[in-house]
C-alpha cells in the first residue's frame, strides 16, 4: 500500500502527535493506529521528531474497506453526521446509524463513550 497513489507524505511539525495528525488527516484522532501501521519506522508513537516524513494512507479503515458490522465509541464533539461522513463517506448515512441503534431516541443527542453499532451495508 505504500505506493504514491495510495499514500501522501506529511512532514512532522513540533508538537505533532499521531492523535493530532489522525484527527487532521483521517477525521478522528482515535484512528492514530492507522498512521502507526503505515509507518513501521516509528519506534515510539508517543514521540515524533519534528522534520520526520511519514505517510498517510489515502484509503483508510472505513466501513467500506471492512467487510462486517462494527462498533465504535462516540468521542467528544462527535455528531451522527460526522461519524457517518468518516465511516460511510456520506453525512446522510446518519440515518443508518439511528436505525442500527434503536436506543437513540434523539439523533441530536449522543454521548461521549456511547457505543454505536455501524452496519456494513447502508443504503442511504
Amino acid at each position: 500500500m505504500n505506493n504514491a497513489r495510495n499514500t501522501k507524505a506529511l512532514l512532522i511539525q513540533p508538537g505533532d502527535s499521531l492523535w493530532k495528525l489522525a484527527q487532521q488527516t483521517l477525521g478522528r484522532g482515535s484512528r492514530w493506529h492507522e498512521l502507526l501501521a503505515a509507518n513501521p519506522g516509528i519506534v515510539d508513537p508517543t514521540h515524533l521528531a519534528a522534520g520526520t516524513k511519514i505517510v498517510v494512507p489515502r484509503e483508510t479503515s472505513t466501513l467500506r474497506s471492512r467487510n462486517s458490522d462494527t462498533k465504535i465509541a462516540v468521542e467528544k464533539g462527535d455528531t451522527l453526521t460526522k461519524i457517518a461522513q468518516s465511516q460511510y463517506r456520506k453525512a446522510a448515512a446518519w440515518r443508518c446509524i439511528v436505525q442500527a441503534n434503536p436506543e437513540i431516541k434523539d439523533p441530536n443527542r449522543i454521548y461521549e463513550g456511547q457505543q454505536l453499532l455501524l452496519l456494513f451495508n447502508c443504503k442511504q
Side-chain angles (χ1 to χ4, degrees), residues 62-103:
T62 63
L63 283 169
R64 290 183 181 190
S65 63
R66 293 188 288 260
N67 292 321
S68 63
D69 300 346
T70 192
K71 280 203 161 225
I72 64 157
V74 174
E75 296 176 8
K76 185 176 183 173
D78 275 349
T79 64
L80 291 177
T81 54
K82 282 184 186 177
I83 294 168
Q85 182 65 46
S86 73
Q87 295 298 314
Y88 293 108
R89 296 202 173 138
K90 54 185 173 179
W94 68 268
R95 291 175 187 90
C96 289
I97 300 171
V98 171
Q99 289 172 351
N101 296 275
E103 71 278 8

Side-chain angles (χ1 to χ4, degrees), residues 32-49:
W32 67 269
H33 58 87
E34 295 174 45
L35 294 178
L36 184 60
N39 294 277
I42 296 176
V43 178
D44 181 358
T46 63
H47 178 73
L48 301 177

Side-chain angles (χ1 to χ4, degrees), residues 4 11 15-17 23 28 50 54-55 62 66 70 76 78 80 82 91 108 110 114 122:
L11 189 63
D16 278 348
S17 67
Q23 198 166 27
R28 294 175 69 86
I54 65 168
V55 295
T62 63
R66 293 188 288 260
T70 192
K76 185 176 183 173
D78 275 349
L80 291 177
K82 282 184 186 177
N108 295 309
I110 58 174
Q114 182 177 1
C122 173

